[in-house]
Amino acid sequence: MDDFASDTDSDYTSYWRDWFIAARGNEYFCEIDEDYLTDRFNLTGLNTEVQYYQYALDLVTDVFDIEVDDDMREQIEKSARHLYGLVHARYIVTTRGLAKMMEKYKQGVFGRCPRVICSSQHLLPMGQHDTPSHSNVKLYCPKCEDIYNPKSSRHNSIDGAYFGTSFHNILFQVYPALLPPKTQRRYEPRLYGFRVHASAALMRWQEERREEMKERLRVKGLEAGFEEGEEGEGGEESEDDEVGDGQDGIDDMFEGGGAVAAAH
């Protein structure tokens, strides 16, 4: 009989959290342990960030027993969801929280990377800010190291602060075996097997090398003669010819280097 009563009390205590986790759009969240929620140390500072803080905490821990009107109940419910999200960001970087989120990650609950070359790599939720109301939750791919918007509008409306900016990195520090090998593969546009814009890529490479050479000449105090050779308009023939020959020599050198690089 005592065991039955204990089970019933346990079910009642976790009712609000069960409802919250089971609600559509909340699949990214894990259930926070009751002992974590009832430890005031874990809630430090949140009383100034959540409206109706004590009522919201009572609702989350299922000890709320005050009769209020519908409008007030709605406000408290909104505060309870916000409070749960803020506590969630702290909980998921604990040992228990990381273990729960790791299981969700392995099951692919957070979705898969839309990038084809990542081969359906599992994603992790993350925030771009630790302060609420700055940006919505994003999905991080550990393979291409890029972030994406959730597909579902329900998930896309979740505040990113409920997961924080550090959780995904901490997870791979604790579980390094889960970190996939990085991919350096990039899609290359081709026409009938030939790379598109290969000549444009070569020209960009030559331009970059040319700019580096200009910078080295400037550092060595040779800036004036080099620049006048580019910008001079019909000056004295002897000086223009000297500078022009130097510029042509540099260009030829880079063109030769570019040809060698392209051959490789």
Side-chain angles (χ1 to χ4, degrees):
M1 190 67 178
D2 291 339
D3 291 341
F4 176 75
S6 177
D7 292 341
T8 303
D9 291 341
S10 177
D11 291 343
Y12 178 76
T13 302
S14 62
Y15 173 74
W16 190 93
R17 296 195 301 280
D18 287 345
W19 166 82
F20 180 81
I21 296 300
R24 293 185 63 186
N26 290 343
E27 293 83 1
Y28 289 178
F29 293 93
C30 70
E31 183 177 357
I32 303 174
D33 295 334
E34 182 184 355
D35 57 352
Y36 190 89
L37 281 167
T38 54
D39 187 339
R40 296 302 175 120
F41 176 78
N42 300 323
L43 310 179
T44 302
L46 296 183
N47 59 323
T48 61
E49 298 187 38
V50 179
Q51 191 179 22
Y52 306 117
Y53 167 78
Q54 190 57 55
Y55 290 156
L57 181 59
D58 290 345
L59 183 58
V60 171
T61 55
D62 278 299
V63 295
F64 185 80
D65 57 359
I66 302 175
E67 292 294 332
V68 295
D69 57 36
D70 291 343
D71 291 341
M72 185 65 173
R73 177 81 182 193
E74 184 177 349
Q75 290 297 321
I76 294 174
E77 178 67 37
K78 182 178 179 181
S79 295
R81 292 194 295 268
H82 184 49
L83 175 62
Y84 190 90
L86 295 177
V87 179
H88 185 267
R90 300 180 178 186
Y91 177 72
I92 59 176
V93 295
T94 65
T95 302
R96 285 278 296 158
L98 285 169
K100 291 183 178 182
M101 296 296 279
M102 181 265 291
E103 289 300 325
K104 283 178 170 283
Y105 168 72
K106 290 169 67 174
Q107 295 168 13
V109 172
F110 309 117
R112 301 171 184 271
C113 183
R115 187 170 181 265
V116 174
I117 298 177
C118 285
S119 304
S120 299
Q121 170 64 43
H122 290 179
L123 301 172
L124 276 172
M126 60 160 286
Q128 293 179 286
H129 300 88
D130 291 312
T131 306
S133 303
H134 276 73
S135 63
N136 296 333
V137 67
K138 304 298 180 185
L139 295 173
Y140 170 77
C141 174
K143 196 164 190 176
C144 64
E145 298 183 323
D146 210 342
I147 59 176
Y148 303 90
N149 289 317
K151 291 182 178 180
S152 170
S153 58
R154 289 187 178 90
H155 297 150
N156 202 32
S157 62
I158 299 173
D159 198 311
Y162 297 164
F163 298 89
T165 58
S166 302
F167 154 68
H168 58 293
N169 292 319
I170 295 175
L171 181 76
F172 292 120
Q173 290 288 326
V174 177
Y175 300 104
L178 295 179
L179 188 63
K182 299 295 185 291
T183 176
Q184 296 184 355
R185 294 175 56 200
R186 295 292 183 269
Y187 171 72
E188 294 182 348
R190 295 174 180 269
L191 289 175
Y192 301 107
F194 296 97
R195 293 180 181 177
V196 178
H197 302 312
S199 59
L202 176 60
M203 292 177 64
R204 285 195 298 270
W205 182 88
Q206 292 175 346
E207 184 63 25
E208 290 171 0
R209 301 291 84 73
R210 184 179 294 114
E211 291 302 321
E212 290 176 3
M213 176 60 78
K214 289 180 181 179
E215 185 61 29
R216 287 198 294 270
L217 291 174
R218 292 190 189 102
V219 171
K220 294 182 179 297
L222 303 176
E223 178 179 357
F226 191 85
E227 295 294 340
E228 287 175 5
E230 286 190 338
E231 297 176 2
E233 296 180 2
E236 282 144 36
E237 185 174 351
S238 60
E239 293 181 359
D240 286 347
D241 287 343
E242 288 178 5
V243 175
D245 291 340
Q247 177 66 45
D248 291 341
I250 293 174
D251 289 348
D252 291 340
M253 177 180 67
F254 284 118
E255 288 173 6
V260 172
H264 287 294

